Amino acid sequence: MRWYTLDGCGPDTFSALADGFVPMAHQFDDSQSWSAGLTGQESGAYKLLHWDQRGIRRCRRTHRHIRATPGDDFYWVIMPDRGDFSLRFQDAVTAIGPGKAMVAGLERPCHLEVPTSAAYAFQVPRTEFEHRARPRAHMSTVLDMRRGLGGIAGNMLRHVHAERSELPEREFNAVCDRVTELLCMMMLGETHPQHEHHMAVAESIRRYLRANIGRADVRLPAVAHALGWSPRQLRTVLGEFGTTFRDVRREEAFRVARDLLSDPRSTLSITELAIRCGFTPTWFSSAFKERFGMSPREYRQHRRAGTGRE
């Protein structure tokens, strides 16, 4: 896990930084006076950036950029606090301003216009979104962040950014997981009051599982008793979201495994880690790779190599 703050970046420095995330061709109006500040948080799973830009920037992602860096393993969520943005895929233009967010994949040629502005950019692994919802890769989805689930998700991103120096990777990933779930619910249209109430219950189930996998009994009767609900009530609530207790427990176990693999202090072997998280060792590696795009061994090596570079 790392975080950083860069102030007073000029066009060349900012272009190099931006290309480290998504390569594009950059054009700046009045490059002599253009400047920006950038802060970022990065874990093995998510990235959260915030920039404050003075001047206009136009970006163009071409077939050449895509061949070099496909960018097809994540989606970006752009949420402006100030300024209006536009993203164009061929003839389809999406514009957003404060109070809105845009979800888009960048594996197709596109044009982005960024005015004087301040905004958040949240990078989410494609598997996290497509596990629940299916954004349209060649277009962009606009979400209302002013109220309801959108207001909650937006505030969570702002608070995560504000606490960037205080959050270890496990906690950062846990909050980003929750934000991603809220965004998926919004894309699926699950925002009425009953769903919001049940979302809070489902969140308490996930939170309990995350804290107790490998440490306590996380079978349905034990979890229901700990939370003061009946097993039937938990099944009913989770059924509202088209899932089951077994699926939620497995999903949270995958996330615990992901965090343990990212922890440089962990001395657990892959087999020991699988057993601790409640998986059969022979099944765990292939299932983890299907879920996160890397085998457990590859994920651990990737994270530790990244930690060494940082």
Side-chain angles (χ1 to χ4, degrees):
M1 177 72 193
R2 70 186 186 113
W3 64 274
Y4 47 85
T5 299
L6 301 165
D7 294 319
C9 298
D12 292 342
T13 300
F14 193 88
S15 296
L17 290 170
D19 285 350
F21 299 107
V22 185
M24 293 185 173
H26 301 270
Q27 178 184 347
F28 300 86
D29 286 11
D30 193 7
S31 60
Q32 296 300 315
S33 62
W34 193 96
S35 66
L38 176 72
T39 58
Q41 295 151 276
E42 299 183 26
S43 72
Y46 296 98
K47 294 181 176 65
L48 178 59
L49 311 176
H50 180 267
W51 71 79
D52 191 339
Q53 174 180 310
R54 291 163 293 283
I56 297 174
R57 172 168 55 102
R58 296 181 176 88
C59 309
R60 185 164 49 89
R61 187 155 162 79
T62 67
H63 287 291
R64 179 177 62 81
H65 296 113
I66 294 165
R67 284 194 297 269
T69 307
D72 57 358
D73 55 350
F74 52 77
Y75 286 100
W76 284 97
V77 181
I78 308 297
M79 185 178 74
D81 274 347
R82 187 180 74 251
D84 296 322
F85 293 71
S86 67
L87 177 65
R88 177 166 62 88
F89 290 99
Q90 295 182 339
D91 296 329
V93 179
T94 302
I96 60 169
K100 302 286 186 179
M102 176 191 302
V103 182
L106 297 179
E107 70 273 32
R108 304 284 185 93
C110 59
H111 292 75
L112 177 67
E113 182 161 336
V114 186
T116 295
S117 58
Y120 294 88
F122 180 40
Q123 189 192 81
V124 181
R126 183 170 293 263
T127 53
E128 291 294 329
F129 264 138
E130 296 192 344
H131 188 65
R132 304 173 186 85
R134 290 193 174 274
R136 294 167 294 179
H138 63 291
M139 301 179 68
S140 51
T141 302
V142 176
L143 302 175
D144 187 346
M145 308 300 287
R146 295 170 294 182
R147 60 182 67 86
L149 296 185
I152 294 169
N155 285 334
M156 289 174 73
L157 288 177
R158 293 183 182 93
H159 285 307
V160 169
H161 172 259
E163 298 295 326
R164 57 190 176 278
S165 63
E166 304 297 328
L167 293 177
E169 181 161 338
R170 183 185 181 95
E171 294 176 9
F172 176 76
N173 283 340
V175 178
C176 291
D177 288 339
R178 300 290 86 85
V179 171
T180 302
E181 288 162 8
L182 295 178
L183 295 174
C184 287
M185 289 177 65
M186 294 172 68
M187 285 189 283
L188 293 171
E190 299 171 348
T191 58
H192 55 75
Q194 182 72 359
H195 268 285
E196 293 189 23
H197 170 67
H198 284 178
M199 182 272 293
V201 177
E203 167 61 20
S204 68
I205 298 170
R206 290 181 180 278
R207 189 164 52 243
Y208 183 87
L209 288 169
R210 178 75 70 92
N212 289 280
I213 285 172
R215 296 184 175 90
D217 187 351
V218 290
R219 290 172 294 183
L220 177 59
V223 174
H225 177 75
L227 296 175
W229 288 60
S230 71
R232 181 180 178 182
Q233 287 172 315
L234 292 195
R235 289 193 193 98
T236 299
V237 167
L238 294 175
E240 288 284 333
F241 302 104
T243 190
T244 65
F245 179 79
R246 179 182 179 183
D247 288 342
V248 170
R249 182 177 62 189
R250 182 173 57 191
E251 179 68 13
E252 293 305 317
F254 272 133
R255 288 171 170 171
V256 170
R258 176 197 66 192
D259 292 341
L260 287 170
L261 289 167
S262 298
D263 188 350
R265 299 167 298 179
S266 175
T267 59
L268 294 173
S269 69
I270 301 298
T271 297
E272 291 170 333
L273 187 149
I275 293 171
R276 173 171 174 174
C277 294
F279 295 115
T280 303
T282 54
W283 176 83
F284 173 61
S285 290
S286 60
F288 186 94
K289 185 171 184 177
E290 182 179 353
R291 178 66 181 82
F292 293 108
M294 296 183 187
S295 71
R297 193 174 306 280
E298 290 169 340
Y299 191 90
R300 172 176 273 172
Q301 291 172 346
H302 174 74
R303 289 301 300 141
R304 292 188 175 179
T307 301
R309 287 194 298 272
E310 290 158 15

